[in-house]
Amino acid sequence: MLAAGLAACGVVSADSAPVAAPPPALDAAPPAQRGEQTAVFAGGCFWGVESVFEHVKGVRKVWSGYAGGDAATADYEQVSSGRTGHAESVKIVYDPAKVSYGKLLQVFFSVAADPTQLNRQGPDVGPQYRSAIFYANDEQKRIATAYIAQLDQAHVFRAPIATQVVPLQAFYMAEAYHQDFARLHPDSPYIVINDAPKVRHLKELFPSDYRPEESVVGVQIH
């Protein structure tokens, strides 16, 4: 299974200079009471996106999985065909009192993915590697849409943002060998070349939001 998993993502250096996106002008208000909230993002191979958010303070759990398609096709082999409608995605459960939805978006656009690439990330080509924000409610939609407009108007990136903002219908957890892959396989060539630089960029750009390595992967989807 591990050999099959290694074919999930191409190998490309991510150690180029990251783009430091500014904070969102519109963000969620501090919560009135304690509780957890959920965000679902897609940005190419889910190993790298998962690895980044495992190191963000306020994030409690992260899973790799599939979003955008049906339950019947939510498995790696079918998703890899690019014909299921799914995108490799991550589900993030976070404490909104410690990290806002807007901050998660800022991290996503700055270090987790290249939002200007359409239906690909680096060498990984196909709609299953598209960049997408799957919003769970109207507030997330409003914040994500406003933030993309803000970044485009400021010409933060070299090209217009291609990230989709679409409603979350369902999230399906990926196979066990994909979960927490970067932490469990730090010497994997893919992780060393492609994902470790993203985590370094997170630490460099967001030192107050960075936490050292630890597993925050849950065993169940809540």
Side-chain angles (χ1 to χ4, degrees):
M1 295 297 288
L2 181 57
L6 288 173
C9 306
V11 177
V12 60
S13 175
D15 212 5
S16 58
V19 174
L26 176 67
D27 202 350
Q33 53 187 337
R34 299 180 64 179
E36 294 180 339
Q37 294 185 14
T38 299
V40 175
F41 302 145
C45 177
F46 40 31
W47 295 344
V49 183
E50 178 192 70
S51 181
V52 166
F53 285 103
E54 283 182 345
H55 289 82
V56 174
K57 290 180 181 178
V59 171
R60 292 181 173 176
K61 306 182 187 75
V62 187
W63 295 272
S64 288
Y66 313 108
D70 298 327
T73 58
D75 64 76
Y76 168 65
E77 289 191 7
Q78 294 189 76
V79 171
S80 295
S81 73
R83 297 190 296 268
T84 67
H86 284 291
E88 290 196 10
S89 307
V90 298
K91 178 176 181 178
I92 304 160
V93 173
Y94 64 99
D95 181 349
K98 296 180 179 179
V99 60
S100 69
Y101 185 70
K103 173 61 72 174
L104 297 179
L105 289 174
Q106 185 185 16
V107 168
F108 175 74
F109 284 118
S110 297
V111 299
D114 181 346
T116 68
Q117 295 189 333
L118 179 64
N119 289 333
R120 68 174 298 161
Q121 284 289 302
D124 301 318
V125 179
Q128 70 271 32
Y129 297 114
R130 66 188 182 273
S131 173
I133 297 166
F134 293 94
Y135 61 85
N137 52 51
D138 289 341
E139 181 181 51
Q140 290 187 355
K141 178 183 180 181
R142 183 170 62 254
I143 294 170
T145 301
Y147 192 37
I148 289 174
Q150 173 188 340
L151 297 178
D152 275 340
Q153 290 168 8
H155 302 290
V156 172
F157 299 97
R158 66 183 184 278
I161 292 174
T163 303
Q164 299 176 346
V165 179
V166 292
L168 176 67
Q169 302 298 334
F171 177 88
Y172 305 100
M173 191 159 65
E175 293 79 359
Y177 65 85
H178 287 303
Q179 305 301 328
D180 211 10
F181 192 91
R183 189 184 68 84
L184 296 175
H185 305 281
D187 296 325
S188 161
Y190 175 80
I191 300 304
V192 171
I193 295 171
N194 198 48
D195 289 343
K198 293 182 179 181
V199 175
R200 288 198 297 272
H201 293 156
L202 172 70
K203 186 176 182 180
E204 292 165 2
L205 294 181
F206 303 98
S208 63
D209 299 298
Y210 173 85
R211 69 169 165 216
E213 181 172 321
E214 64 178 283
S215 175
V216 294
V217 172
V219 295
Q220 295 180 350
I221 298 293
H222 297 290

